Amino acid sequence: MRHKNIPSVAPTSEHPSKLQRDLLPRILEMIRQDALLPGQRLPEAAFARRLQVSRTPVRAALRHLAERGVIAALPNGGHALSRPASEIPESEYAAASADLDAYCVAIARDRVAGALPSQASEADMMRRYDIGRPLLLRILNKLAGVGLVERRPGHGWHFSPLNDDAAIVESYAFRRIIEPAALLETGFAPDPAWLAEMRRRHEAMLARPWSETASVALFEMNCEFHEGLIAACGNRFLLLALQQQSRLRRYANYSWRYGPERVAVSCREHLEIIARLEAGEREIAAVLLRRHLDRAREVSLSPRAANPA
């Protein structure tokens, strides 16, 4: 895996910032993952939420892609897909994104296996993964963005702790208490557009061929699903608690070892919950969610698996 430089923009365009350059491959990957249709408007707000950034850099990145002819600018503002998502070429943008995810998977696997200590210097990681410092920093910044690592004074980095079996049991017991209950809160009101987006993304995940690097996108989608359900009840403290649980589960999920079969089961269970919520059947959805968490706990404790929910 070698880093491919992101190309410069056309002479008539302003040079994108580092953040915007980092967003380009991730936006294209989301378009492909979601299997968006030609003419479909690209949702800036949804992309910004998924990328955990403001709408401003997302808008700038979309404008850059439009200038390069990858997507189309709309007359009244915004952008839309100009060709089927499957026909977007595997450009250097996508290659850079795939490289980043592959390194994230490798780091997660080494952490879970105990081969990578909780604290490591940049020099040690550059030697271990045979990469230069610019690429390493892009990888570490991506992991830092989801709370897996933080910079220490100097050139060292501290990785977040791993869950042992006892912590996994406690984590699922906690989630089993708060997540189904959130669906039954009086103020629970999921956005229909969000539910539709989640359904589309899960269906796209089921349709795409499984690859090792897809584990990153899978877990981030799963996080958004579970955290989105909690957010819909309007209780910020429940959401903060679940986000902490997500951070603790990322390493095991990035180093996914259970194969595409469990991916399909998890996605279909999520889709059934979505269908019940769209039908207004919150009580049934809560039961299904509790059952989903119980099954995920069993799988996560088996020798082959990593936390799947």
Side-chain angles (χ1 to χ4, degrees):
M1 296 179 294
R2 288 297 181 186
H3 178 48
K4 300 177 178 62
N5 291 327
I6 293 177
S8 60
V9 298
T12 57
S13 174
E14 293 183 0
H15 289 281
S17 67
K18 181 181 182 299
L19 173 58
Q20 292 160 16
R21 291 197 305 271
D22 288 342
L23 294 180
L24 292 171
R26 298 167 68 186
I27 289 173
L28 285 176
E29 181 63 17
M30 287 191 297
I31 291 172
R32 274 188 288 270
Q33 287 173 4
D34 295 355
L36 299 178
L37 300 174
Q40 190 166 350
R41 192 180 185 91
L42 301 178
E44 285 182 9
F47 284 173
R49 182 176 64 250
R50 291 162 66 179
L51 294 166
Q52 298 181 337
V53 297
S54 70
R55 295 179 65 170
T56 300
V58 171
R59 186 177 302 117
L62 291 174
R63 185 166 58 247
H64 172 74
L65 291 174
E67 291 170 351
R68 296 296 296 269
V70 179
I71 60 176
L74 297 174
N76 297 324
H79 298 85
L81 198 59
S82 56
R83 68 188 81 176
S86 60
E87 294 181 9
I88 293 179
E90 290 291 336
S91 67
E92 49 268 66
Y93 298 127
S97 178
D99 277 357
L100 285 182
D101 283 352
Y103 281 115
C104 288
V105 169
I107 289 173
R109 183 170 294 148
D110 286 347
R111 282 289 292 140
V112 171
L116 185 64
S118 61
Q119 297 184 16
S121 70
E122 291 175 8
D124 289 340
M125 288 185 282
M126 286 163 60
R127 285 191 295 269
R128 171 180 287 276
Y129 299 107
D130 190 25
I131 56 177
R133 190 166 182 267
L135 176 56
L136 176 64
L137 291 179
R138 292 185 65 204
I139 297 164
L140 292 173
N141 286 332
K142 179 172 183 175
L143 293 175
V146 291
L148 286 185
V149 65
E150 62 180 11
R151 187 189 292 273
R152 302 180 70 242
H155 294 287
W157 292 78
H158 178 76
F159 292 91
S160 62
L162 299 167
N163 274 343
D164 56 19
D165 283 356
I168 291 172
V169 170
E170 292 174 8
S171 172
Y172 275 105
F174 175 72
R175 294 178 62 196
R176 195 179 190 275
I177 292 171
I178 69 168
E179 291 193 48
L183 273 59
L184 302 178
E185 281 287 289
T186 303
F188 180 78
D191 182 357
W194 177 80
L195 288 174
E197 178 193 344
M198 281 287 106
R199 180 174 7 90
R200 183 175 61 250
R201 290 174 61 188
H202 279 76
E203 290 171 347
M205 179 64 72
L206 283 171
R208 69 184 295 191
W210 177 252
S211 66
E212 182 180 73
T213 57
S215 61
V216 176
L218 172 69
F219 182 68
E220 297 306 331
M221 179 185 72
N222 283 348
C223 275
E224 290 179 49
F225 174 74
H226 286 275
E227 291 174 7
L229 292 179
I230 287 283
C233 81
N235 189 314
R236 73 192 72 179
F237 299 104
L238 291 179
L239 179 58
L240 288 171
L242 187 60
Q243 288 171 337
Q244 173 63 18
Q245 295 297 311
S246 297
R247 284 192 289 272
L248 294 174
R249 295 186 300 119
R250 265 190 176 87
Y251 279 124
N253 280 269
Y254 278 14
S255 61
W256 183 270
R257 300 188 305 276
Y258 209 67
E261 296 82 6
R262 178 59 201 172
V263 175
V265 170
S266 180
C267 285
R268 291 190 181 109
E269 289 176 353
H270 283 189
L271 285 169
E272 188 174 3
I273 294 168
I274 291 170
R276 294 295 185 174
L277 291 175
E278 289 176 325
E281 299 172 340
R282 288 197 291 160
E283 293 81 4
I284 297 177
V287 171
L288 293 174
L289 180 55
R290 186 176 298 110
R291 185 184 304 166
H292 168 71
L293 291 171
D294 288 344
R295 290 172 176 171
R297 179 190 58 193
E298 293 174 6
V299 174
S300 71
L301 293 172
S302 67
R304 291 178 55 200
N307 292 354

